[in-house]
C-alpha cells in the first residue's frame, strides 16, 4: 500500500443534532435519494425513472398514546399494511436488471460482488457480506469496510476470505473483513483483505477514534471442524492504516459469545454489545474500561488483557421495579425500563456460555426443558444491530416467535433506545407479527443513524426484503427492495451506512454477495 493510504484520516465528528429525543427526527428524516457514486465497469449501474412497474412499501408501527422516543408522536393503534408514498420518496420502481428497485431519481452502482470483482492479490471478492462502515481517507477518498459472515463446514462457502500471511487468525475459518477504497468521485480503486481466518463475522461497529470492530457470531472452540483457535471474539480493524492490521488478535476482554454488534459511548467509554442467541435467548452487554484507560484509541483494545475492565449484562426493571425477563413483553412504543447491570462471572465462557451464567427456563427445538441458575437477567430473541446516535444506542431485536423460541410475546421486530445518562431503555419502534411478509416490516436487522434524521434499517425477513427509513413520527417507508433471489427467496440486506460526505448510502445484499452504492435526492424529514 502507498504511504498516502497508510496516513488516512479518522471518522468525522458526529454532527450536532437537535437532541436525543428527536431520535428519529434528526436521524432519518430525509428521503433516501440515490444517485450512485462510482461504478464498476464489468458490473451494473441502475438509474430509476418513472414509467415502469412500481411498488411502494411504507409501514407504520403499532401502539397507543404518545411515543417519547419518537419526539412525542402519536402512535397508531393498528399497523397499516401500507403507508403513503408521500411519507417517503415515492413508489419503488422495479429494476429491469432485477437487482435493486429504488424510487424515482435514485440510482445504484455495484462496487463489489462475490466471485466477480477481484482483490489486489488476485483472489475473488469474498461472499456473505454483512456489517459495514465507511471512513474518510486521504485525498478525498472513502474507505468501505465489510464483514464476511462465513464459517467452516457444513456452511457452503464458494468465495472465502483468502488466508493471507500476516492477516490470518485461524486458517481453518473462511470469514473475515475486506476493505474497498473509492476515489473522490466514488469509483472503485482497489479492494483488499484486512482480516482473515475468523468465523461468522456478522455485524460490528465504528469507534470514535476511526476504526471498525468486527464481531464473530459463534461460540466455536478450538478443534471443532478443524479450527485451530477459539472463536466468538471481537477484532479491531484500522481502515486507513493497513500495517496496523497485521498479526490479528482477539479483544478477549469484551467476552466470548455470539457477538452481533457493538456501539461505543464516546463520553463514558462504555461499549454496548448485542448477542444473537437462542435456548436461552441472548443478552445485552456493557463493557466498562479499566480505571485510567477511559480514553481509548487506535489499537488500545487489542493490547488490553483478557480480564481488563468489567463485562456486565443488562437487567431491566418495569415501573413497579420488577425485573423484566424478556424484552418481547413490551408491546407499546414509549414503554421505558430502568436499567442496572450484573457482572458476567466468566466472560471467556470456559465452561458455560456467558448467557447461561444467568437464570433461565426455556424449551429447545426438541421440546426439551432447559434450566439454569444464577442472577435474574433480561433476555431477548435475535438481538441484532446496534448504532450510537443522539446521545444513546439504538438496538434491534429482529423478532420473537413464542411457538419456536418460547418468548413471552410475538413481534416482527423492535427498535430500542438506550439512554446511558438516564440508564433507561425505551421501545421506539415495534412491528406487529402475522402481517403480510411482503408489505409489512418483518425482521429488522442491521441499523444505522441517518444524517438526514431518523434511522436506516436493513430487513432480513421471510418475504420481500427492503432498506427502510424510520421517520420522526414513528412510521417507516421503503427506500429500496432487493429483486435478487437466492435459493428461491429474497436475500437479506446488510450493513447500511452513509459515506462521510453523506451523499451515498452503502448497503449489501448478502447472497450472492453484492455491495451497492446508492445516491439520490436526500432530504430532511421535519
Amino acid at each position: 500500500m502507498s504511504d498516502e493510504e497508510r496516513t488516512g484520516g479518522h471518522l468525522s465528528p458526529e454532527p450536532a443534532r437537535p437532541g436525543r429525543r428527536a431520535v428519529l427526527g434528526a436521524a432519518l428524516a430525509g428521503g433516501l435519494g440515490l444517485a450512485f457514486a462510482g461504478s464498476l465497469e464489468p458490473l451494473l449501474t441502475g438509474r430509476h425513472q418513472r414509467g415502469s412497474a412500481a411498488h411502494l412499501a411504507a409501514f407504520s408501527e403499532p401502539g397507543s398514546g404518545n411515543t417519547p422516543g419518537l419526539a412525542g408522536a402519536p402512535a397508531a393503534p393498528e399497523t397499516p399494511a401500507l403507508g403513503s408514498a408521500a411519507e417517503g420518496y415515492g413508489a419503488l420502481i422495479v429494476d429491469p436488471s432485477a437487482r435493486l428497485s429504488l424510487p424515482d431519481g435514485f440510482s445504484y452502482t455495484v462496487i463489489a460482488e462475490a466471485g466477480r470483482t477481484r482483490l489486489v492479490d488476485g483472489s475473488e471478492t469474498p461472499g456473505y457480506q454483512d456489517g459495514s462502515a465507511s471512513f474518510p481517507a486521504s485525498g478525498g477518498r472513502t474507505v468501505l469496510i465489510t464483514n464476511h459472515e462465513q464459517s467452516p463446514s457444513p456452511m457452503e462457502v464458494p468465495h472465502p476470505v483468502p488466508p493471507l500471511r500476516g492477516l490470518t487468525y485461524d486458517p481453518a475459518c473462511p470469514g473475515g473483513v475486506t476493505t474497498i477504497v473509492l476515489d473522490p468521485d466514488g469509483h472503485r480503486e482497489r479492494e483488499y483483505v484486512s482480516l482473515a481466518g475468523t468465523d461468522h463475522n456478522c455485524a460490528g461497529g465504528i469507534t470514535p477514534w476511526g476504526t471498525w470492530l468486527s464481531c464473530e457470531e459463534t461460540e466455536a472452540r478450538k478443534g471443532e471442524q478443524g479450527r485451530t483457535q477459539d472463536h466468538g471474539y471481537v477484532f479491531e480493524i484500522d481502515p486507513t492504516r493497513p500495517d496496523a492490521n497485521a498479526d490479528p488478535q482477539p479483544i478477549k476482554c469484551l467476552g466470548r459469545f455470539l457477538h452481533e454488534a457493538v456501539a461505543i459511548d464516546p463520553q463514558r467509554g462504555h461499549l454496548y454489545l448485542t448477542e444473537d442467541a437462542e435456548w436461552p435467548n441472548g443478552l445485552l452487554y456493557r463493557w466498562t474500561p479499566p480505571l485510567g484507560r477511559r480514553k481509548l484509541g487506535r489499537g488500545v483494545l487489542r493490547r488490553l488483557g483478557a480480564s481488563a475492565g468489567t463485562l456486565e449484562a443488562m437487567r431491566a426493571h418495569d415501573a413497579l421495579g420488577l425485573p423484566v425477563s424478556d424484552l418481547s413483553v413490551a408491546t407499546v412504543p414509549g414503554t421505558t425500563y430502568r436499567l442496572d447491570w450484573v457482572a458476567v462471572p466468566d466472560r471467556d465462557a470456559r465452561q458455560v456460555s456467558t448467557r447461561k451464567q444467568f437464570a433461565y427456563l426455556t424449551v429447545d427445538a426438541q421440546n426439551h426443558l432447559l434450566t439454569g441458575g444464577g442472577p435474574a437477567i433480561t433476555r431477548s430473541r435475535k438481538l441484532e444491530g446496534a448504532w450510537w446516535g443522539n446521545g444513546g444506542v439504538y438496538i434491534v431485536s429482529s423478532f420473537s416467535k413464542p411457538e419456536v423460541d418460547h418468548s413471552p410475546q410475538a413481534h416482527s421486530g423492535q427498535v430500542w433506545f438506550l439512554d446511558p445518562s438516564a440508564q433507561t431503555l425505551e421501545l421506539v419502534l415495534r412491528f406487529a407479527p402475522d402481517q403480510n411478509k411482503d408489505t409489512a416490516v418483518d425482521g429488522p436487522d442491521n441499523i444505522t443513524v441517518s444524517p438526514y434524521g431518523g434511522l436506516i434499517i436493513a430487513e432480513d425477513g421471510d418475504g420481500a426484503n427492503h432498506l427502510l427509513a424510520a421517520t420522526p413520527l414513528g412510521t417507516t417507508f421503503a427506500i429500496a427492495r432487493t429483486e435478487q433471489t437466492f435459493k428461491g427467496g429474497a436475500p437479506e440486506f446488510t450493513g447500511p451506512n452513509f459515506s462521510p460526505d453523506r451523499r451515498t448510502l452503502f448497503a449489501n445484499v448478502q447472497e450472492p454477495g453484492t455491495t451497492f452504492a446508492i445516491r439520490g435526492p436526500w432530504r430532511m424529514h421535519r
Side-chain angles (χ1 to χ4, degrees):
M1 301 302 155
S2 67
D3 291 338
E4 183 180 42
E5 180 184 349
R6 298 178 201 278
T7 57
H10 295 256
L11 277 176
S12 300
E14 186 179 37
R17 303 194 188 278
R20 68 173 182 83
R21 287 299 181 189
V23 167
L24 306 180
L28 163 64
L32 296 183
L34 311 170
F36 245 41
S39 63
L40 280 179
E41 287 72 16
L43 299 182
L44 295 178
T45 298
R47 183 170 299 279
H48 291 59
Q49 298 177 342
R50 296 193 184 281
S52 58
H55 171 67
L56 172 74
F59 318 99
S60 297
E61 285 46 82
S64 61
N66 290 332
T67 57
L70 301 178
E78 303 292 340
T79 303
L82 291 173
S84 167
E87 293 173 329
Y89 294 95
L92 299 182
I93 300 172
V94 174
D95 181 7
S97 298
R99 280 181 173 263
L100 202 64
S101 293
L102 301 169
D104 182 36
F106 288 72
S107 62
Y108 69 79
T109 298
V110 174
I111 60 172
E113 189 158 74
R116 297 190 66 187
T117 48
R118 295 277 177 176
L119 308 179
V120 294
D121 69 302
S123 304
E124 297 175 338
T125 293
Y128 290 93
Q129 284 84 343
D130 207 290
S132 186
S134 54
F135 303 82
S138 61
R141 295 178 177 86
T142 295
V143 173
L144 180 66
I145 293 275
T146 303
N147 285 351
H148 297 273
E149 192 180 24
Q150 303 185 132
S151 295
S153 177
M155 183 177 183
E156 296 179 7
V157 181
H159 306 295
V161 178
L164 302 184
R165 180 177 298 179
L167 294 171
T168 302
Y169 173 66
D170 181 348
C173 291
V177 177
T178 54
T179 299
I180 301 171
V181 179
L182 303 174
D183 71 16
D185 295 320
H187 297 103
R188 171 188 167 113
E189 290 187 348
R190 59 194 176 278
E191 181 180 11
Y192 56 90
V193 174
S194 292
L195 173 67
T198 46
D199 195 350
H200 218 69
N201 298 66
C202 198
I206 58 173
T207 70
W209 48 91
T211 62
W212 171 250
L213 298 179
S214 182
C215 295
E216 291 187 306
E217 187 191 340
T218 182
E219 294 178 302
R221 303 302 297 257
K222 178 179 179 179
E224 297 178 13
Q225 285 79 45
R227 292 174 176 85
T228 64
Q229 302 275 10
D230 288 341
H231 291 268
Y233 295 113
V234 177
F235 292 79
E236 185 172 17
I237 308 300
D238 195 312
T240 58
R241 303 174 186 177
D243 289 351
N245 301 323
D247 185 27
Q249 299 296 320
I251 306 172
K252 292 190 174 183
C253 61
L254 300 183
R256 195 183 70 82
F257 54 87
L258 288 149
H259 284 274
E260 175 72 27
V262 56
I264 301 179
D265 181 338
Q267 280 75 45
R268 300 165 186 82
H270 291 132
L271 275 68
Y272 294 91
L273 306 110
T274 58
E275 180 180 34
D276 182 2
E278 58 187 345
W279 303 317
N281 288 343
L283 307 179
L284 177 65
Y285 300 88
R286 183 183 71 178
W287 180 79
T288 301
L291 292 175
R293 301 306 296 266
R294 295 299 169 92
K295 290 188 177 293
L296 301 171
R298 289 178 183 248
V300 172
L301 287 171
R302 66 181 287 177
R303 295 195 296 269
L304 294 176
S307 61
T310 304
L311 185 68
E312 301 165 299
M314 181 194 74
R315 182 166 56 197
H317 299 265
D318 64 17
L320 298 176
L322 300 175
V324 177
S325 64
D326 193 282
L327 293 180
S328 68
V329 300
T331 59
V332 178
T335 298
T336 302
Y337 298 132
R338 295 285 177 183
L339 305 180
D340 66 2
W341 300 86
V342 185
V344 177
D346 174 18
R347 73 180 81 182
D348 204 48
R350 289 181 292 270
Q351 300 296 326
V352 178
S353 299
T354 54
R355 70 185 185 282
K356 295 180 181 178
Q357 296 171 30
F358 300 89
Y360 64 94
L361 173 64
T362 188
V363 178
D364 67 13
Q366 290 74 41
N367 212 34
H368 297 147
L369 181 66
L370 304 177
T371 63
I377 209 69
T378 301
R379 301 181 182 274
S380 182
R381 179 78 172 95
K382 295 292 290 180
L383 283 171
E384 298 271 6
W387 202 274
W388 179 270
N390 300 305
V393 184
Y394 293 95
I395 297 163
V396 174
S397 172
S398 285
F399 60 78
S400 63
K401 300 178 180 179
E403 72 279 8
V404 175
D405 54 38
H406 298 277
S407 297
Q409 295 284 341
H411 63 77
S412 288
Q414 297 174 324
V415 179
W416 296 84
F417 181 77
L418 191 153
D419 184 334
S421 296
Q423 280 299 295
T424 57
L425 186 71
E426 178 185 8
L427 181 63
V428 295
L429 294 173
R430 179 182 184 269
F431 303 106
D434 303 322
Q435 303 291 305
N436 184 306
K437 302 301 183 184
D438 290 330
T439 60
V441 179
D442 166 37
D445 196 316
N446 289 175
I447 192 170
T448 191
V449 173
S450 168
Y452 298 95
L455 304 172
I456 304 294
I457 302 169
E459 190 178 16
D460 177 16
D462 293 331
N465 280 323
H466 303 82
L467 284 176
L468 305 160
T471 73
L473 297 180
T475 59
T476 60
F477 60 87
I479 300 164
R481 181 180 63 246
T482 178
E483 304 297 348
Q484 296 175 281
T485 60
F486 183 76
K487 295 183 178 180
E492 66 176 287
F493 276 105
T494 64
N497 70 98
F498 275 92
S499 61
D501 65 7
R502 308 182 187 183
R503 297 171 59 200
T504 304
L505 176 66
F506 297 107
N508 309 306
V509 172
Q510 192 171 69
E511 300 103 350
T514 309
T515 299
F516 293 96
I518 304 169
R519 284 188 179 179
W522 307 108
R523 68 176 186 272
M524 295 293 295
H525 281 284
R526 301 294 181 183

